Amino acid sequence: MKTKVYDVVIVGAGISGALVADQLKRKGRSVLILEAGLDEGLKPSSYQDYLEHFYTQEVKVPNSPYPNNPNAPQSNVLDIQKIEPGKPDVSGYYVQYGPLPFSSTNTRAVGGTTLHWLGICLRMLPNDFRMRSKYGYGVDWPLKYKDLKSYYEQAELEIGVSADVEDLWYPGTNASFFGKGYRFPMHKIPPSYLDQVLTRRLKGMIYYDQQDEVKIDVVSIPQGRNSIPNKHYIDPRTNKPYQPVSAVGHPHMGERCEGNSSCIPICPVQAKYNALKTLDKAVNGKGKGRVEVRTQCVVSRLEIDSDNGKIKGVIYQHYPGSHKERTAVGKCYVLAASAIENAKLMLASGAAKTSGQLGCNLMDHPYLLTWALMPDPVGPFRGPFSTSGIPSFRDGPFRKRHSAFRTDIGNWGWNFPTGAPFSDVQLMVDQHNLFGKELRNQLYNSVQKQFRFGFLIEQIPQTSNRVTIDPNHVDAMGNYRPVIYYNLSEYELAGFATAKSFSDQVFQRLGAAQFTSYAPSDPGFVQYEGMGYSFHGSGHIVGTHRMGNHAHDSVVSKTQKCWDHQNLYLVGCGSMPTIGTSNPTLTMAALALQASESIINDLR
Amino acid sequence: MLVTKMDKEKFDNFLLLSSKLTGFPKLDLLGTGLALDYYDLVKSIIGDTILDQLYNAGIEIFSKDHEVTLEEEYIRDKILSDSKFGPVARSMIKLWYLGQWDPLPAGWRAEFGSHTEDTGRIISSESYQEGLVWVAIAAHPMGAKQPGFGSWTQPPQKDLR
């Protein structure tokens, strides 16, 4: 039987793979997407199964709705634990050598991690692209902000971002950041009551970071969730006003965020963007080309032509069944399976060896939480996870001393730090011995005043933070499990210290009772200058196949084409040389759209 | 199914006890649609006899009108601090508030018997959504009973009592 040759074979049906497939289809190309996970979610009934599964999970974490699949195993934050020196933690999917646990997870199913992402769509700031030359840390990108700007605009359309330009302000930017007349497809997601309280109470606040004056502002966050369309936004694809994209298979559901307070781990109405929407468009929508999604196909490696370094095929196994190896063939190949899986596949194939950077520079936003009780009820557990933030520490001269960070204002009380409100019930019944009306009163009075900050700390790339493989650690199908080495540097720890000190000052200003506590038994407990801090993962898995200007120090070029394999693209957060302080999905989407143009050119 | 008059009476006792323990009126408990399921669950875990004894322990306040502070003390004395009834009562409160059964302590099981249903779990997707905690904190169950676009901009509701 003759093997079908596709124009492009894509590995991974998440946001990057879906965007690339959709762009190629519009240009008349044939695309095969191989996805390791199940196709749940593309059918409305099975998306509902995810939701039902979520309801009955005792501990609700990002992957709670999405059952682990032994053929395509995934990480889970419940597996994260302290790592004993010299002894890897093998209890979860990751094999963790530490010294600190890598605490971010992704989802292996059609739709990828956008099934449980939060939906925040922030552009990176101009100085994020020149960290080395401006602040002496990390590396510079081979791109400048202005090179990505039009792709950011396109990504904001494809995802469907809600924001009002006139509300937005970021340090180190001016009016050219968005440009004259720019609009988002939809108006902003309305700010929570808590946002309004903080906006009023923090107005005019200045924080002194040594000699640097940091002006504190509460600013609305652009979000990939549906809001009221901006009637002045004309969709360039249709030349008509923008139409919010509803739930897959449910044309009348999800055109607005309904305040389900469950963006992570699952938006019940799909008002939050997920890659199922782009995949549905790519497979079933208009376009001259053809996109085929084949699920339950676990790729194990690439076949490389030893003469010219080009990729000859993708080797995969289908389950259930014999697990016989099959080969998918294309003119061009795209790995879009997440930073960790991309690195793993490349290492398993003996690919991209020139730079020595493959698998290295794994990054996340170490996430520091602080929490307090406000003097009055603030109405938590309503609306999206976070509707406003404080961007003041996203850029500034302090980046010569410590990490920049983004501050988000959490709308769900102490859900993240303590597991509220479930933990409050347990505590009040089992420890405080409350019952009856007094229990009701105390729950109201305590939970209604819960407030927390989250600080996303910029992590600087280090070659020693990396993903590798080891034949001793394989999964049920015999594929490699990711082996991870991860640590934080003084630069990030100094960022924790500044964030905590800033938070203390805000709590004092608000008259909020501090309840933040970090225990040495926490998996992410670290010490810096005599103080302890505990960090979590942000789910922002970045680095591992960094882009750059040269084959000797980077894995891919600025279009995400692999230096060593000229018909192979590695797309996704793995290509980002630094992480900045933006949640990375929007940048990943912009980069995927840019790569699509390059792939289309290559195929000509 | 509640067939006999005695079944109905016992179920009513269960509701009354639940109401005193949770601080929610009987009507709210019935409104969850889960009262009978919870009755059956508790009955199957601790058995008819202990459930009857539990109700009888509080019989005086359930049958007569007492001053509120005395009633609270009475429930603490006779039920919550009792080694047999206290753990059951606390699991019942959490069942109503969280839709989740918290297993009885090992010591309780050793003394009073164990049952295969006495395992920690969320009873059903309905029980999660009907947890009284969400009413108590003036919110909605995360991921269900969506309050609608922009509802989160409004000031919090006052205490619902």
Side-chain angles (χ1 to χ4, degrees):
Chain A
M1 196 178 88
K2 198 167 174 295
T3 309
K4 177 168 178 180
V5 179
Y6 293 86
D7 285 325
V8 180
V9 175
I10 299 175
V11 180
I15 182 170
S16 290
L19 285 170
V20 172
D22 184 46
Q23 295 298 311
L24 290 164
K25 173 171 173 158
R26 291 185 207 181
K27 297 291 178 185
R29 296 299 176 175
S30 65
V31 178
L32 171 66
I33 303 181
L34 295 172
E35 166 57 48
L38 303 174
D39 71 346
E40 304 282 310
L42 278 174
K43 292 167 285 188
S45 62
S46 51
Y47 191 86
Q48 189 65 27
D49 291 343
Y50 280 152
L51 191 59
E52 295 289 323
H53 192 69
F54 157 72
Y55 288 149
T56 55
Q57 294 298 295
E58 274 190 85
V59 184
K60 293 177 167 44
V61 295
N63 271 341
S64 287
Y66 316 106
N68 189 39
N69 172 350
N71 298 306
Q74 65 195 8
S75 46
N76 189 313
V77 294
L78 298 175
D79 299 328
I80 307 298
Q81 47 184 308
K82 260 191 132 54
I83 300 165
E84 286 177 47
K87 202 174 148 207
D89 169 21
V90 297
S91 54
Y93 172 52
Y94 299 151
V95 176
Q96 302 234 31
Y97 275 88
L100 290 171
F102 185 75
S103 308
S104 281
T105 64
N106 57 344
T107 305
R108 293 181 78 186
V110 164
T113 310
T114 57
L115 293 172
H116 82 218
W117 79 312
L118 174 52
I120 283 181
C121 283
L122 290 159
R123 298 183 187 187
M124 290 180 70
L125 302 180
N127 285 338
D128 294 340
F129 295 86
R130 44 182 185 241
M131 279 299 289
R132 170 58 61 179
S133 48
K134 180 96 184 163
Y135 300 116
Y137 282 91
V139 286
D140 287 355
W141 285 50
L143 294 163
K144 293 186 170 61
Y145 171 75
K146 67 176 171 46
D147 300 325
L148 264 193
K149 193 171 161 190
S150 67
Y151 298 104
Y152 271 133
E153 292 174 1
Q154 202 185 340
E156 283 157 357
L157 167 63
E158 293 294 338
I159 289 173
V161 178
S162 298
D164 289 320
V165 170
E166 59 274 22
D167 284 350
L168 304 180
W169 172 87
Y170 307 110
T173 64
N174 55 34
S176 70
F177 186 67
F178 288 110
K180 198 164 178 279
Y182 182 68
R183 293 180 186 90
F184 286 86
M186 292 169 280
H187 289 294
K188 72 177 168 195
I189 294 287
S192 67
Y193 176 77
L194 173 64
D195 294 343
Q196 299 164 47
V197 170
L198 288 188
T199 302
R200 187 175 65 78
R201 291 293 295 112
L202 301 188
K203 199 174 164 62
M205 180 175 174
I206 304 281
Y207 178 85
Y208 290 93
D209 186 339
Q210 293 189 13
Q211 69 278 21
D212 304 326
E213 208 174 81
V214 182
K215 185 173 157 283
I216 304 307
D217 259 314
V218 175
V219 176
S220 165
I221 300 174
Q223 319 230 349
R225 70 187 85 255
N226 290 334
S227 175
I228 298 165
N230 186 330
K231 66 180 181 195
H232 300 295
Y233 184 95
I234 301 301
D235 186 337
R237 300 168 305 189
T238 58
N239 272 326
K240 288 180 185 155
Y242 181 79
Q243 179 66 33
V245 182
S246 51
V248 173
H250 271 296
H252 303 299
M253 190 170 88
E255 291 191 359
R256 296 287 185 284
C257 170
E258 300 288 359
N260 268 294
S261 313
S262 170
C263 323
I264 299 174
I266 183 167
C267 175
V269 298
Q270 297 187 45
K272 177 187 79 176
Y273 169 86
N274 61 48
L276 301 171
K277 296 185 180 192
T278 304
L279 278 172
D280 182 51
K281 179 158 64 108
V283 174
N284 302 314
K286 287 183 215 147
K288 292 173 289 188
R290 188 177 139 73
V291 175
E292 191 184 323
V293 182
R294 236 181 262 168
T295 53
Q296 296 164 235
C297 293
V298 189
V299 174
S300 49
R301 64 188 189 279
L302 305 172
E303 215 177 337
I304 302 168
D305 187 326
S306 53
D307 293 339
N308 55 20
K310 284 195 166 181
I311 306 304
K312 291 198 295 189
V314 170
I315 316 284
Y316 68 97
Q317 295 159 285
H318 183 267
Y319 64 89
S322 67
H323 298 183
K324 188 176 70 130
E325 286 198 337
R326 303 160 199 233
T327 308
V329 180
K331 293 173 190 155
C332 177
Y333 298 85
V334 176
L335 294 191
S338 87
I340 284 177
E341 297 298 321
N342 277 2
K344 213 185 82 179
L345 286 175
M346 292 293 284
L347 289 163
S349 312
K353 287 178 171 167
T354 304
S355 67
Q357 294 292 324
L358 178 63
C360 300
N361 310 303
L362 176 68
M363 291 169 271
D364 190 4
H365 287 125
Y367 194 77
L368 187 77
L369 288 156
T370 62
W371 56 104
L373 281 187
M374 295 286 274
D376 298 302
V378 287
F381 295 98
R382 301 182 306 162
F385 180 92
S386 182
T387 36
S388 295
I390 298 172
S392 309
F393 292 90
R394 290 190 58 194
D395 190 30
F398 51 77
R399 285 176 112 172
K400 287 183 178 163
R401 300 189 298 274
H402 62 72
S403 285
F405 55 86
R406 190 176 82 70
T407 308
D408 71 21
I409 296 167
N411 286 331
W412 302 345
W414 295 355
N415 184 258
F416 197 152
T418 70
F422 314 101
S423 58
D424 296 281
V425 173
Q426 302 277 2
L427 183 75
M428 287 185 189
V429 174
D430 292 336
Q431 305 297 324
H432 299 175
N433 296 320
L434 296 174
F435 77 101
K437 291 208 171 114
E438 189 54 19
L439 171 64
R440 269 186 85 167
N441 288 344
Q442 294 272 2
L443 272 172
Y444 179 89
N445 284 320
S446 152
V447 177
Q448 268 288 336
K449 294 174 187 166
Q450 290 180 355
F451 162 66
R452 68 121 185 114
F453 274 136
F455 299 97
L456 295 92
I457 310 283
E458 175 174 33
Q459 180 165 27
I460 288 302
Q462 293 184 73
T463 45
S464 52
N465 285 340
R466 65 197 177 102
V467 177
T468 184
I469 53 172
D470 177 345
N472 293 314
H473 298 292
V474 294
D475 66 18
M477 282 182 88
N479 290 306
Y480 290 106
R481 288 166 58 190
V483 175
I484 296 179
Y485 294 81
Y486 186 71
N487 203 359
L488 299 182
S489 74
E490 294 249 322
Y491 186 73
E492 289 105 33
L493 298 180
F496 285 180
T498 306
K500 178 64 169 59
S501 151
F502 164 62
S503 171
D504 290 348
Q505 216 172 88
V506 171
F507 290 175
Q508 287 154 4
R509 195 174 168 118
L510 296 170
Q514 177 90 258
F515 275 81
T516 311
S517 71
Y518 307 120
S521 57
D522 295 338
F525 184 79
V526 289
Q527 281 179 297
Y528 178 71
E529 294 189 339
M531 301 290 284
Y533 306 90
S534 298
F535 71 95
H536 299 261
S538 289
H540 302 162
I541 308 175
V542 169
T544 77
H545 49 80
R546 72 154 55 135
M547 61 164 63
N549 283 319
H550 310 284
H552 65 82
D553 60 5
S554 61
V555 181
V556 298
S557 73
K558 64 182 175 186
T559 61
Q560 301 184 83
K561 191 194 286 194
C562 194
W563 293 115
D564 291 356
H565 311 281
Q566 285 293 299
N567 63 342
L568 174 66
Y569 286 76
L570 307 182
V571 301
C573 290
S575 299
M576 293 168 62
T578 61
I579 193 169
T581 55
S582 307
N583 305 39
T585 301
L586 185 75
T587 300
M588 163 165 62
L591 291 172
L593 292 164
Q594 186 205 42
S596 304
E597 281 184 5
S598 177
I599 295 166
I600 289 161
N601 277 332
D602 288 356
L603 290 171
R604 268 193 195 124
Chain B
M1 275 286 283
L2 301 167
V3 184
T4 66
K5 192 173 165 217
M6 190 184 287
D7 283 342
K8 285 180 188 133
E9 214 176 280
K10 285 186 174 186
F11 174 63
D12 221 47
N13 291 349
F14 175 80
L15 271 184
L16 189 56
L17 176 61
S18 295
S19 169
K20 299 287 182 191
L21 291 173
T22 58
F24 279 84
K26 282 203 302 188
L27 201 62
D28 285 5
L29 303 183
L30 284 167
T32 63
L34 294 163
L36 198 52
D37 288 357
Y38 290 173
Y39 170 64
D40 286 340
L41 179 78
V42 173
K43 197 168 67 169
S44 69
I45 291 171
I46 66 169
D48 247 343
T49 315
I50 297 179
L51 188 58
D52 286 348
Q53 289 170 351
L54 171 58
Y55 180 73
N56 286 329
I59 194 83
E60 284 186 38
I61 42 139
F62 298 138
S63 52
K64 281 186 270 168
D65 282 332
H66 281 243
E67 209 182 308
V68 174
T69 51
L70 283 182
E71 181 179 289
E72 276 183 28
E73 287 176 8
Y74 189 92
I75 292 173
R76 287 191 185 285
D77 294 352
K78 300 283 182 185
I79 297 175
L80 292 170
S81 62
D82 182 271
S83 61
K84 189 194 281 184
F85 305 135
V88 177
R90 281 184 281 279
S91 281
M92 277 175 64
I93 298 172
K94 289 179 277 183
L95 176 64
W96 281 108
Y97 270 83
L98 301 174
Q100 169 181 326
W101 182 256
D102 265 20
L104 294 163
W108 193 97
R109 291 203 248 181
E111 200 173 340
F112 305 110
S114 60
H115 190 277
T116 49
E117 291 240 25
D118 186 18
T119 55
R121 66 197 186 280
I122 290 180
I123 303 306
S124 62
S125 62
E126 290 78 15
S127 74
Y128 164 74
Q129 295 173 59
E130 294 299 332
L132 298 176
V133 61
W134 307 110
V135 183
I137 65 169
H140 68 101
M142 297 174 89
K145 300 191 184 182
Q146 53 193 30
F149 182 75
S151 54
W152 54 87
T153 64
Q154 300 300 309
Q157 286 181 55
K158 292 275 184 286
D159 194 338
L160 296 181
R161 277 173 314 124

